[in-house]
PDB file of all heavy atoms in Angstrom:
ATOM      1  N   ILE A 137     156.662 289.226 311.247  1.00  0.00           N
ATOM      2  CA  ILE A 137     155.911 290.403 311.699  1.00  0.00           C
ATOM      3  C   ILE A 137     156.822 291.628 311.626  1.00  0.00           C
ATOM      4  O   ILE A 137     157.934 291.617 312.158  1.00  0.00           O
ATOM      5  CB  ILE A 137     155.383 290.192 313.131  1.00  0.00           C
ATOM      6  CG1 ILE A 137     154.397 289.026 313.149  1.00  0.00           C
ATOM      7  CG2 ILE A 137     154.718 291.468 313.640  1.00  0.00           C
ATOM      8  CD1 ILE A 137     153.867 288.697 314.530  1.00  0.00           C
ATOM      9  N   ASN A 138     156.329 292.667 310.982  1.00  0.00           N
ATOM     10  CA  ASN A 138     157.143 293.855 310.718  1.00  0.00           C
ATOM     11  C   ASN A 138     156.478 295.083 311.338  1.00  0.00           C
ATOM     12  O   ASN A 138     155.556 295.658 310.757  1.00  0.00           O
ATOM     13  CB  ASN A 138     157.323 294.041 309.204  1.00  0.00           C
ATOM     14  CG  ASN A 138     158.231 295.201 308.876  1.00  0.00           C
ATOM     15  OD1 ASN A 138     159.076 295.570 309.688  1.00  0.00           O
ATOM     16  ND2 ASN A 138     158.058 295.780 307.702  1.00  0.00           N
ATOM     17  N   PHE A 139     156.932 295.490 312.529  1.00  0.00           N
ATOM     18  CA  PHE A 139     156.415 296.692 313.179  1.00  0.00           C
ATOM     19  C   PHE A 139     157.056 297.963 312.624  1.00  0.00           C
ATOM     20  O   PHE A 139     156.641 299.068 312.982  1.00  0.00           O
ATOM     21  CB  PHE A 139     156.662 296.626 314.697  1.00  0.00           C
ATOM     22  CG  PHE A 139     155.832 295.589 315.391  1.00  0.00           C
ATOM     23  CD1 PHE A 139     156.374 294.362 315.726  1.00  0.00           C
ATOM     24  CD2 PHE A 139     154.503 295.838 315.711  1.00  0.00           C
ATOM     25  CE1 PHE A 139     155.608 293.399 316.373  1.00  0.00           C
ATOM     26  CE2 PHE A 139     153.728 294.884 316.351  1.00  0.00           C
ATOM     27  CZ  PHE A 139     154.285 293.653 316.679  1.00  0.00           C
ATOM     28  N   LYS A 140     158.022 297.798 311.778  1.00  0.00           N
ATOM     29  CA  LYS A 140     158.751 298.955 311.234  1.00  0.00           C
ATOM     30  C   LYS A 140     157.847 299.830 310.365  1.00  0.00           C
ATOM     31  O   LYS A 140     158.118 301.027 310.198  1.00  0.00           O
ATOM     32  CB  LYS A 140     159.953 298.453 310.431  1.00  0.00           C
ATOM     33  CG  LYS A 140     160.919 299.547 309.993  1.00  0.00           C
ATOM     34  CD  LYS A 140     162.151 298.922 309.364  1.00  0.00           C
ATOM     35  CE  LYS A 140     163.107 300.014 308.877  1.00  0.00           C
ATOM     36  NZ  LYS A 140     162.551 300.762 307.744  1.00  0.00           N
ATOM     37  N   ASN A 141     156.762 299.249 309.829  1.00  0.00           N
ATOM     38  CA  ASN A 141     155.851 300.040 308.998  1.00  0.00           C
ATOM     39  C   ASN A 141     155.271 301.219 309.765  1.00  0.00           C
ATOM     40  O   ASN A 141     155.102 302.317 309.219  1.00  0.00           O
ATOM     41  CB  ASN A 141     154.722 299.154 308.479  1.00  0.00           C
ATOM     42  CG  ASN A 141     155.214 298.075 307.542  1.00  0.00           C
ATOM     43  OD1 ASN A 141     156.182 298.274 306.828  1.00  0.00           O
ATOM     44  ND2 ASN A 141     154.570 296.918 307.562  1.00  0.00           N
ATOM     45  N   TYR A 142     154.936 301.003 311.045  1.00  0.00           N
ATOM     46  CA  TYR A 142     154.356 302.070 311.856  1.00  0.00           C
ATOM     47  C   TYR A 142     155.373 303.179 312.101  1.00  0.00           C
ATOM     48  O   TYR A 142     155.008 304.367 312.132  1.00  0.00           O
ATOM     49  CB  TYR A 142     153.866 301.504 313.191  1.00  0.00           C
ATOM     50  CG  TYR A 142     152.648 300.622 313.052  1.00  0.00           C
ATOM     51  CD1 TYR A 142     152.770 299.254 312.838  1.00  0.00           C
ATOM     52  CD2 TYR A 142     151.365 301.157 313.130  1.00  0.00           C
ATOM     53  CE1 TYR A 142     151.656 298.435 312.697  1.00  0.00           C
ATOM     54  CE2 TYR A 142     150.242 300.354 312.996  1.00  0.00           C
ATOM     55  CZ  TYR A 142     150.402 298.996 312.782  1.00  0.00           C
ATOM     56  OH  TYR A 142     149.283 298.203 312.639  1.00  0.00           O
ATOM     57  N   LEU A 143     156.629 302.820 312.278  1.00  0.00           N
ATOM     58  CA  LEU A 143     157.658 303.844 312.473  1.00  0.00           C
ATOM     59  C   LEU A 143     157.949 304.590 311.177  1.00  0.00           C
ATOM     60  O   LEU A 143     158.161 305.810 311.187  1.00  0.00           O
ATOM     61  CB  LEU A 143     158.944 303.194 313.001  1.00  0.00           C
ATOM     62  CG  LEU A 143     158.839 302.487 314.352  1.00  0.00           C
ATOM     63  CD1 LEU A 143     160.167 301.818 314.705  1.00  0.00           C
ATOM     64  CD2 LEU A 143     158.438 303.465 315.444  1.00  0.00           C
ATOM     65  N   ASP A 144     157.924 303.868 310.070  1.00  0.00           N
ATOM     66  CA  ASP A 144     158.230 304.506 308.790  1.00  0.00           C
ATOM     67  C   ASP A 144     157.174 305.524 308.382  1.00  0.00           C
ATOM     68  O   ASP A 144     157.493 306.521 307.718  1.00  0.00           O
ATOM     69  CB  ASP A 144     158.355 303.436 307.694  1.00  0.00           C
ATOM     70  CG  ASP A 144     159.601 302.589 307.860  1.00  0.00           C
ATOM     71  OD1 ASP A 144     160.516 303.029 308.595  1.00  0.00           O
ATOM     72  OD2 ASP A 144     159.656 301.491 307.273  1.00  0.00           O
ATOM     73  N   VAL A 145     155.912 305.282 308.766  1.00  0.00           N
ATOM     74  CA  VAL A 145     154.842 306.223 308.416  1.00  0.00           C
ATOM     75  C   VAL A 145     155.116 307.586 309.024  1.00  0.00           C
ATOM     76  O   VAL A 145     154.879 308.631 308.403  1.00  0.00           O
ATOM     77  CB  VAL A 145     153.474 305.674 308.882  1.00  0.00           C
ATOM     78  CG1 VAL A 145     152.390 306.735 308.737  1.00  0.00           C
ATOM     79  CG2 VAL A 145     153.094 304.450 308.068  1.00  0.00           C
ATOM     80  N   PHE A 146     155.637 307.619 310.264  1.00  0.00           N
ATOM     81  CA  PHE A 146     155.938 308.895 310.916  1.00  0.00           C
ATOM     82  C   PHE A 146     157.101 309.608 310.247  1.00  0.00           C
ATOM     83  O   PHE A 146     157.212 310.835 310.342  1.00  0.00           O
ATOM     84  CB  PHE A 146     156.260 308.652 312.396  1.00  0.00           C
ATOM     85  CG  PHE A 146     155.055 308.350 313.238  1.00  0.00           C
ATOM     86  CD1 PHE A 146     154.644 307.045 313.445  1.00  0.00           C
ATOM     87  CD2 PHE A 146     154.322 309.376 313.815  1.00  0.00           C
ATOM     88  CE1 PHE A 146     153.546 306.755 314.216  1.00  0.00           C
ATOM     89  CE2 PHE A 146     153.204 309.102 314.586  1.00  0.00           C
ATOM     90  CZ  PHE A 146     152.808 307.787 314.790  1.00  0.00           C
ATOM     91  N   HIS A 147     157.978 308.862 309.578  1.00  0.00           N
ATOM     92  CA  HIS A 147     159.097 309.490 308.863  1.00  0.00           C
ATOM     93  C   HIS A 147     158.691 309.942 307.469  1.00  0.00           C
ATOM     94  O   HIS A 147     159.231 310.924 306.953  1.00  0.00           O
ATOM     95  CB  HIS A 147     160.272 308.512 308.771  1.00  0.00           C
ATOM     96  CG  HIS A 147     160.878 308.157 310.093  1.00  0.00           C
ATOM     97  ND1 HIS A 147     161.514 309.077 310.900  1.00  0.00           N
ATOM     98  CD2 HIS A 147     160.931 306.970 310.758  1.00  0.00           C
ATOM     99  CE1 HIS A 147     161.937 308.485 312.002  1.00  0.00           C
ATOM    100  NE2 HIS A 147     161.590 307.197 311.947  1.00  0.00           N
ATOM    101  N   ILE A 148     157.760 309.233 306.860  1.00  0.00           N
ATOM    102  CA  ILE A 148     157.336 309.575 305.505  1.00  0.00           C
ATOM    103  C   ILE A 148     156.529 310.863 305.478  1.00  0.00           C
ATOM    104  O   ILE A 148     156.659 311.689 304.573  1.00  0.00           O
ATOM    105  CB  ILE A 148     156.518 308.418 304.898  1.00  0.00           C
ATOM    106  CG1 ILE A 148     157.422 307.213 304.673  1.00  0.00           C
ATOM    107  CG2 ILE A 148     155.865 308.815 303.584  1.00  0.00           C
ATOM    108  CD1 ILE A 148     156.687 305.960 304.268  1.00  0.00           C
ATOM    109  N   MET A 149     155.683 311.074 306.487  1.00  0.00           N
ATOM    110  CA  MET A 149     154.821 312.246 306.537  1.00  0.00           C
ATOM    111  C   MET A 149     154.784 312.799 307.954  1.00  0.00           C
ATOM    112  O   MET A 149     155.025 312.055 308.918  1.00  0.00           O
ATOM    113  CB  MET A 149     153.400 311.877 306.081  1.00  0.00           C
ATOM    114  CG  MET A 149     152.747 310.805 306.931  1.00  0.00           C
ATOM    115  SD  MET A 149     151.176 310.190 306.276  1.00  0.00           S
ATOM    116  CE  MET A 149     150.194 311.685 306.263  1.00  0.00           C
ATOM    117  N   PRO A 150     154.505 314.106 308.134  1.00  0.00           N
ATOM    118  CA  PRO A 150     154.427 314.687 309.486  1.00  0.00           C
ATOM    119  C   PRO A 150     153.149 314.240 310.208  1.00  0.00           C
ATOM    120  O   PRO A 150     152.204 315.020 310.382  1.00  0.00           O
ATOM    121  CB  PRO A 150     154.441 316.195 309.217  1.00  0.00           C
ATOM    122  CG  PRO A 150     153.869 316.343 307.853  1.00  0.00           C
ATOM    123  CD  PRO A 150     154.307 315.126 307.089  1.00  0.00           C
ATOM    124  N   LEU A 151     153.119 312.977 310.615  1.00  0.00           N
ATOM    125  CA  LEU A 151     151.900 312.385 311.155  1.00  0.00           C
ATOM    126  C   LEU A 151     151.471 313.043 312.456  1.00  0.00           C
ATOM    127  O   LEU A 151     150.272 313.219 312.706  1.00  0.00           O
ATOM    128  CB  LEU A 151     152.105 310.884 311.363  1.00  0.00           C
ATOM    129  CG  LEU A 151     150.833 310.036 311.383  1.00  0.00           C
ATOM    130  CD1 LEU A 151     150.117 310.128 310.046  1.00  0.00           C
ATOM    131  CD2 LEU A 151     151.173 308.581 311.690  1.00  0.00           C
ATOM    132  N   TRP A 152     152.433 313.422 313.312  1.00  0.00           N
ATOM    133  CA  TRP A 152     152.059 314.060 314.578  1.00  0.00           C
ATOM    134  C   TRP A 152     151.353 315.387 314.339  1.00  0.00           C
ATOM    135  O   TRP A 152     150.422 315.748 315.081  1.00  0.00           O
ATOM    136  CB  TRP A 152     153.305 314.278 315.440  1.00  0.00           C
ATOM    137  CG  TRP A 152     153.860 313.048 316.055  1.00  0.00           C
ATOM    138  CD1 TRP A 152     155.094 312.491 315.856  1.00  0.00           C
ATOM    139  CD2 TRP A 152     153.187 312.181 316.992  1.00  0.00           C
ATOM    140  NE1 TRP A 152     155.234 311.347 316.592  1.00  0.00           N
ATOM    141  CE2 TRP A 152     154.086 311.128 317.295  1.00  0.00           C
ATOM    142  CE3 TRP A 152     151.934 312.200 317.585  1.00  0.00           C
ATOM    143  CZ2 TRP A 152     153.765 310.103 318.189  1.00  0.00           C
ATOM    144  CZ3 TRP A 152     151.605 311.178 318.472  1.00  0.00           C
ATOM    145  CH2 TRP A 152     152.503 310.146 318.770  1.00  0.00           C
ATOM    146  N   SER A 153     151.770 316.110 313.331  1.00  0.00           N
ATOM    147  CA  SER A 153     151.109 317.380 313.003  1.00  0.00           C
ATOM    148  C   SER A 153     149.667 317.143 312.557  1.00  0.00           C
ATOM    149  O   SER A 153     148.744 317.853 312.977  1.00  0.00           O
ATOM    150  CB  SER A 153     151.893 318.102 311.910  1.00  0.00           C
ATOM    151  OG  SER A 153     151.238 319.293 311.512  1.00  0.00           O
ATOM    152  N   TYR A 154     149.448 316.113 311.736  1.00  0.00           N
ATOM    153  CA  TYR A 154     148.100 315.797 311.278  1.00  0.00           C
ATOM    154  C   TYR A 154     147.232 315.284 312.433  1.00  0.00           C
ATOM    155  O   TYR A 154     146.039 315.581 312.498  1.00  0.00           O
ATOM    156  CB  TYR A 154     148.158 314.762 310.161  1.00  0.00           C
ATOM    157  CG  TYR A 154     148.790 315.278 308.892  1.00  0.00           C
ATOM    158  CD1 TYR A 154     149.791 314.545 308.246  1.00  0.00           C
ATOM    159  CD2 TYR A 154     148.399 316.482 308.329  1.00  0.00           C
ATOM    160  CE1 TYR A 154     150.367 315.006 307.081  1.00  0.00           C
ATOM    161  CE2 TYR A 154     148.981 316.952 307.170  1.00  0.00           C
ATOM    162  CZ  TYR A 154     149.966 316.218 306.549  1.00  0.00           C
ATOM    163  OH  TYR A 154     150.545 316.688 305.389  1.00  0.00           O
ATOM    164  N   ILE A 155     147.840 314.520 313.323  1.00  0.00           N
ATOM    165  CA  ILE A 155     147.092 314.040 314.494  1.00  0.00           C
ATOM    166  C   ILE A 155     146.672 315.216 315.368  1.00  0.00           C
ATOM    167  O   ILE A 155     145.535 315.268 315.875  1.00  0.00           O
ATOM    168  CB  ILE A 155     147.941 313.026 315.289  1.00  0.00           C
ATOM    169  CG1 ILE A 155     148.103 311.734 314.482  1.00  0.00           C
ATOM    170  CG2 ILE A 155     147.300 312.718 316.640  1.00  0.00           C
ATOM    171  CD1 ILE A 155     149.044 310.723 315.117  1.00  0.00           C
ATOM    172  N   TRP A 156     147.561 316.178 315.558  1.00  0.00           N
ATOM    173  CA  TRP A 156     147.223 317.345 316.370  1.00  0.00           C
ATOM    174  C   TRP A 156     146.108 318.161 315.718  1.00  0.00           C
ATOM    175  O   TRP A 156     145.190 318.623 316.399  1.00  0.00           O
ATOM    176  CB  TRP A 156     148.455 318.213 316.586  1.00  0.00           C
ATOM    177  CG  TRP A 156     148.160 319.516 317.283  1.00  0.00           C
ATOM    178  CD1 TRP A 156     148.200 320.765 316.755  1.00  0.00           C
ATOM    179  CD2 TRP A 156     147.747 319.660 318.645  1.00  0.00           C
ATOM    180  NE1 TRP A 156     147.837 321.702 317.693  1.00  0.00           N
ATOM    181  CE2 TRP A 156     147.556 321.050 318.874  1.00  0.00           C
ATOM    182  CE3 TRP A 156     147.521 318.773 319.686  1.00  0.00           C
ATOM    183  CZ2 TRP A 156     147.164 321.564 320.098  1.00  0.00           C
ATOM    184  CZ3 TRP A 156     147.113 319.278 320.920  1.00  0.00           C
ATOM    185  CH2 TRP A 156     146.941 320.651 321.113  1.00  0.00           C
ATOM    186  N   ASN A 157     146.174 318.346 314.400  1.00  0.00           N
ATOM    187  CA  ASN A 157     145.093 319.054 313.694  1.00  0.00           C
ATOM    188  C   ASN A 157     143.753 318.344 313.890  1.00  0.00           C
ATOM    189  O   ASN A 157     142.724 318.988 314.114  1.00  0.00           O
ATOM    190  CB  ASN A 157     145.408 319.127 312.192  1.00  0.00           C
ATOM    191  CG  ASN A 157     146.630 319.960 311.897  1.00  0.00           C
ATOM    192  OD1 ASN A 157     147.062 320.778 312.704  1.00  0.00           O
ATOM    193  ND2 ASN A 157     147.224 319.738 310.737  1.00  0.00           N
ATOM    194  N   THR A 158     143.774 317.020 313.831  1.00  0.00           N
ATOM    195  CA  THR A 158     142.546 316.243 314.007  1.00  0.00           C
ATOM    196  C   THR A 158     142.020 316.370 315.425  1.00  0.00           C
ATOM    197  O   THR A 158     140.808 316.474 315.633  1.00  0.00           O
ATOM    198  CB  THR A 158     142.803 314.762 313.669  1.00  0.00           C
ATOM    199  OG1 THR A 158     143.471 314.676 312.418  1.00  0.00           O
ATOM    200  CG2 THR A 158     141.498 313.994 313.589  1.00  0.00           C
ATOM    201  N   ILE A 159     142.910 316.346 316.413  1.00  0.00           N
ATOM    202  CA  ILE A 159     142.487 316.480 317.812  1.00  0.00           C
ATOM    203  C   ILE A 159     141.817 317.829 318.046  1.00  0.00           C
ATOM    204  O   ILE A 159     140.766 317.923 318.694  1.00  0.00           O
ATOM    205  CB  ILE A 159     143.697 316.296 318.755  1.00  0.00           C
ATOM    206  CG1 ILE A 159     144.167 314.840 318.728  1.00  0.00           C
ATOM    207  CG2 ILE A 159     143.342 316.706 320.179  1.00  0.00           C
ATOM    208  CD1 ILE A 159     145.448 314.595 319.501  1.00  0.00           C
ATOM    209  N   VAL A 160     142.403 318.894 317.501  1.00  0.00           N
ATOM    210  CA  VAL A 160     141.831 320.234 317.682  1.00  0.00           C
ATOM    211  C   VAL A 160     140.455 320.321 317.036  1.00  0.00           C
ATOM    212  O   VAL A 160     139.484 320.799 317.650  1.00  0.00           O
ATOM    213  CB  VAL A 160     142.781 321.301 317.093  1.00  0.00           C
ATOM    214  CG1 VAL A 160     142.112 322.678 317.100  1.00  0.00           C
ATOM    215  CG2 VAL A 160     144.078 321.345 317.892  1.00  0.00           C
ATOM    216  N   MET A 161     140.327 319.864 315.797  1.00  0.00           N
ATOM    217  CA  MET A 161     139.040 319.913 315.100  1.00  0.00           C
ATOM    218  C   MET A 161     137.992 319.064 315.814  1.00  0.00           C
ATOM    219  O   MET A 161     136.841 319.486 315.974  1.00  0.00           O
ATOM    220  CB  MET A 161     139.208 319.429 313.657  1.00  0.00           C
ATOM    221  CG  MET A 161     140.047 320.322 312.778  1.00  0.00           C
ATOM    222  SD  MET A 161     140.256 319.625 311.119  1.00  0.00           S
ATOM    223  CE  MET A 161     141.478 320.753 310.448  1.00  0.00           C
ATOM    224  N   THR A 162     138.388 317.878 316.243  1.00  0.00           N
ATOM    225  CA  THR A 162     137.443 316.978 316.911  1.00  0.00           C
ATOM    226  C   THR A 162     137.000 317.553 318.249  1.00  0.00           C
ATOM    227  O   THR A 162     135.811 317.505 318.590  1.00  0.00           O
ATOM    228  CB  THR A 162     138.086 315.599 317.119  1.00  0.00           C
ATOM    229  OG1 THR A 162     138.520 315.088 315.855  1.00  0.00           O
ATOM    230  CG2 THR A 162     137.103 314.632 317.738  1.00  0.00           C
ATOM    231  N   PHE A 163     137.938 318.098 319.007  1.00  0.00           N
ATOM    232  CA  PHE A 163     137.595 318.673 320.312  1.00  0.00           C
ATOM    233  C   PHE A 163     136.623 319.841 320.163  1.00  0.00           C
ATOM    234  O   PHE A 163     135.594 319.900 320.854  1.00  0.00           O
ATOM    235  CB  PHE A 163     138.866 319.137 321.024  1.00  0.00           C
ATOM    236  CG  PHE A 163     138.612 319.837 322.333  1.00  0.00           C
ATOM    237  CD1 PHE A 163     138.305 319.112 323.471  1.00  0.00           C
ATOM    238  CD2 PHE A 163     138.669 321.221 322.411  1.00  0.00           C
ATOM    239  CE1 PHE A 163     138.060 319.756 324.676  1.00  0.00           C
ATOM    240  CE2 PHE A 163     138.432 321.878 323.606  1.00  0.00           C
ATOM    241  CZ  PHE A 163     138.120 321.136 324.746  1.00  0.00           C
ATOM    242  N   LEU A 164     136.930 320.767 319.257  1.00  0.00           N
ATOM    243  CA  LEU A 164     136.044 321.916 319.054  1.00  0.00           C
ATOM    244  C   LEU A 164     134.670 321.462 318.554  1.00  0.00           C
ATOM    245  O   LEU A 164     133.632 321.960 319.022  1.00  0.00           O
ATOM    246  CB  LEU A 164     136.666 322.887 318.047  1.00  0.00           C
ATOM    247  CG  LEU A 164     137.930 323.626 318.502  1.00  0.00           C
ATOM    248  CD1 LEU A 164     138.506 324.450 317.361  1.00  0.00           C
ATOM    249  CD2 LEU A 164     137.650 324.510 319.704  1.00  0.00           C
ATOM    250  N   GLY A 165     134.647 320.529 317.623  1.00  0.00           N
ATOM    251  CA  GLY A 165     133.367 320.066 317.083  1.00  0.00           C
ATOM    252  C   GLY A 165     132.512 319.360 318.111  1.00  0.00           C
ATOM    253  O   GLY A 165     131.299 319.600 318.200  1.00  0.00           O
ATOM    254  N   VAL A 166     133.118 318.504 318.925  1.00  0.00           N
ATOM    255  CA  VAL A 166     132.357 317.768 319.942  1.00  0.00           C
ATOM    256  C   VAL A 166     131.830 318.706 321.014  1.00  0.00           C
ATOM    257  O   VAL A 166     130.661 318.625 321.416  1.00  0.00           O
ATOM    258  CB  VAL A 166     133.241 316.663 320.560  1.00  0.00           C
ATOM    259  CG1 VAL A 166     132.551 316.040 321.764  1.00  0.00           C
ATOM    260  CG2 VAL A 166     133.549 315.589 319.534  1.00  0.00           C
TER     261      VAL A 166
END
């Protein structure tokens, strides 16, 4: 079992920035 994939995704791309963009769009839309 390799949990390192989840950590590597955050290093490969600015995932927190994309998550924040999604939260803002979803909140305003809802």
Side-chain angles (χ1 to χ4, degrees):
I137 297 177
N138 184 25
F139 291 100
K140 189 173 178 292
N141 295 328
Y142 290 90
L143 299 177
D144 290 342
V145 171
F146 285 92
H147 295 296
I148 292 172
M149 60 188 299
L151 203 62
W152 286 118
S153 176
Y154 293 131
I155 291 174
W156 173 250
N157 295 340
T158 311
I159 291 173
V160 172
M161 293 177 189
T162 304
F163 176 78
L164 292 175
V166 171

